[in-house]
């Protein structure tokens, strides 16, 4: 039997992407929670270049980066397909997944940073939302009206973006500005294929990012003195 371990952070959308794929495939795995401030020797050994989670360890061999891990899981394990079978749809899935993955730092900076970096990121997030609002009109999922690869990666905008917004008090996403995106987000969160695997948008997740926002604000204030 294959031995599968996942190193991650409970509050990380990247970790949850991988957990989601493992659960869809029905794979039994051992989850190991890492400490951001005191990373384990196993993590440092498994991902010596970036020293980041998530890391999937399959039969003793580490695979790093959530996007790479998702494709590995889809290729190596039996179960429901994550990437579409059709080559064109597969290419579209990879395109939108990369688009969303490339926006991670921008989204974080828009809600959890301060100063010039914050203001620039807010503009970029609004541009991203305009693109998504146009793309997601009357769409349930990103590609071929079927849940898959891009939709797993979309957990950042489907759930975490709302958490970031509430934690920071920075309101960029409204149904007046982005009606199609908001309609998609609401359906995404409540869809059975999503609801079963997304973490609850609970008090712990919100409190964690509220604390990060306060810490960032305190750091910014101290540097201005």
């Amino acid at each position: 039997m294959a031995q599968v371990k996942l190193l991650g952070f409970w509050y990380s959308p990247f970790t949850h992407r991988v957990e989601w794929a493992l659960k869809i495939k029905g794979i039994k795995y051992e989850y190991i929670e890492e400490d951001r401030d005191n990373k384990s020797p196993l993590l440092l050994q498994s991902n010596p270049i970036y020293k980041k989670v998530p890391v999937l360890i399959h039969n003793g061999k580490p695979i790093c980066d959530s996007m790479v891990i998702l494709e590995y899981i889809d290729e190596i394990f039996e179960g429901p397909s994550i990437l579409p079978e059709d080559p064109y749809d597969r290419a579209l899935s990879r395109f939108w997944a990369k688009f969303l993955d490339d926006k991670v730092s921008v989204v974080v900076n828009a809600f959890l940073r301060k100063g010039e970096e914050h203001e620039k990121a807010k503009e970029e997030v609004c541009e991203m939302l305009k693109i998504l609002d146009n793309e997601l009109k009357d769409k349930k999922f990103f590609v071929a009206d079927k849940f898959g690869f891009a939709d797993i990666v979309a957990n950042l905008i489907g759930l975490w973006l709302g958490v970031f917004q509430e934690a920071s008090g920075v309101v960029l996403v409204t149904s007046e500005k982005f009606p199609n995106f908001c309609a998609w987000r609401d359906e995404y969160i409540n869809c059975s294929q999503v609801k079963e695997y997304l973490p609850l948008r609970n008090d712990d997740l919100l409190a964690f990012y509220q604390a990060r926002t306060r810490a960032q604000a305190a750091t910014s204030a101290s540097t201005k003195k």
Side-chain angles (χ1 to χ4, degrees):
M1 180 179 291
Q3 293 183 341
V4 180
K5 296 180 181 180
L6 173 61
L7 314 183
F9 298 145
W10 68 270
Y11 51 83
S12 163
F14 311 105
T15 297
H16 282 283
R17 288 176 184 176
V18 177
E19 284 202 284
W20 201 341
L22 291 169
K23 290 174 180 176
I24 287 173
K25 291 284 189 178
I27 302 163
K28 293 182 178 180
Y29 64 98
E30 177 188 355
Y31 176 73
I32 301 172
E33 178 71 22
E34 286 288 334
D35 183 344
R36 186 186 188 95
D37 300 316
N38 186 24
K39 296 173 182 176
S40 72
L42 180 59
L43 173 58
L44 299 178
Q45 178 184 350
S46 300
N47 190 359
I49 297 175
Y50 295 111
K51 303 176 177 63
K52 293 181 178 180
V53 299
V55 175
L56 185 77
I57 302 176
H58 179 212
N59 289 336
K61 297 179 179 179
I63 304 97
C64 306
D65 186 282
S66 65
M67 298 276 278
V68 175
I69 296 170
L70 289 180
E71 294 219 32
Y72 178 85
I73 289 171
D74 202 29
E75 290 176 7
I76 205 74
F77 294 107
E78 296 181 357
S81 179
I82 295 171
L83 276 160
E85 296 296 330
D86 180 78
Y88 180 72
D89 288 344
R90 186 179 290 252
L92 280 181
S93 292
R94 288 188 171 119
F95 173 85
W96 284 113
K98 186 176 187 306
F99 174 84
L100 295 169
D101 198 57
D102 286 347
K103 299 299 181 182
V104 169
S105 62
V106 173
V107 171
V108 171
N109 290 344
F111 294 101
L112 304 180
R113 298 287 187 268
K114 300 295 179 183
E116 184 178 342
E117 187 179 30
H118 164 71
E119 293 302 324
K120 181 181 179 181
K122 281 170 58 178
E123 294 177 7
E124 291 187 50
V125 167
C126 287
E127 287 302 313
M128 175 195 75
L129 290 168
K130 287 178 185 178
I131 292 170
L132 292 174
D133 194 65
N134 181 64
E135 176 63 25
L136 294 168
K137 183 179 181 180
D138 299 324
K139 290 181 73 172
K140 185 176 182 180
F141 300 118
F142 270 89
V143 178
D145 199 31
K146 185 178 179 182
F147 181 84
F149 183 62
D151 304 289
I152 292 177
V153 178
N155 69 352
L156 175 75
I157 59 169
L159 179 70
W160 265 264
L161 192 150
V163 173
F164 292 163
Q165 181 164 268
E166 187 171 349
S168 65
V170 177
V171 180
L172 296 181
V173 186
T174 66
S175 57
E176 290 74 24
K177 288 183 179 179
F178 307 109
N180 298 324
F181 172 80
C182 289
W184 167 86
R185 178 200 59 198
D186 294 343
E187 177 134 354
Y188 174 89
I189 291 174
N190 290 298
C191 169
S192 60
Q193 290 166 287
V194 173
K195 200 169 186 178
E196 182 179 357
Y197 299 112
L198 272 183
L200 294 175
R201 192 174 178 277
N202 58 25
D203 292 341
D204 290 341
L205 195 61
L206 179 59
F208 174 83
Y209 284 106
Q210 285 174 330
R212 283 195 62 183
T213 302
R214 289 193 295 269
Q216 180 64 36
T219 300
S220 298
S222 64
T223 58
K224 293 178 181 178
K225 292 181 180 179

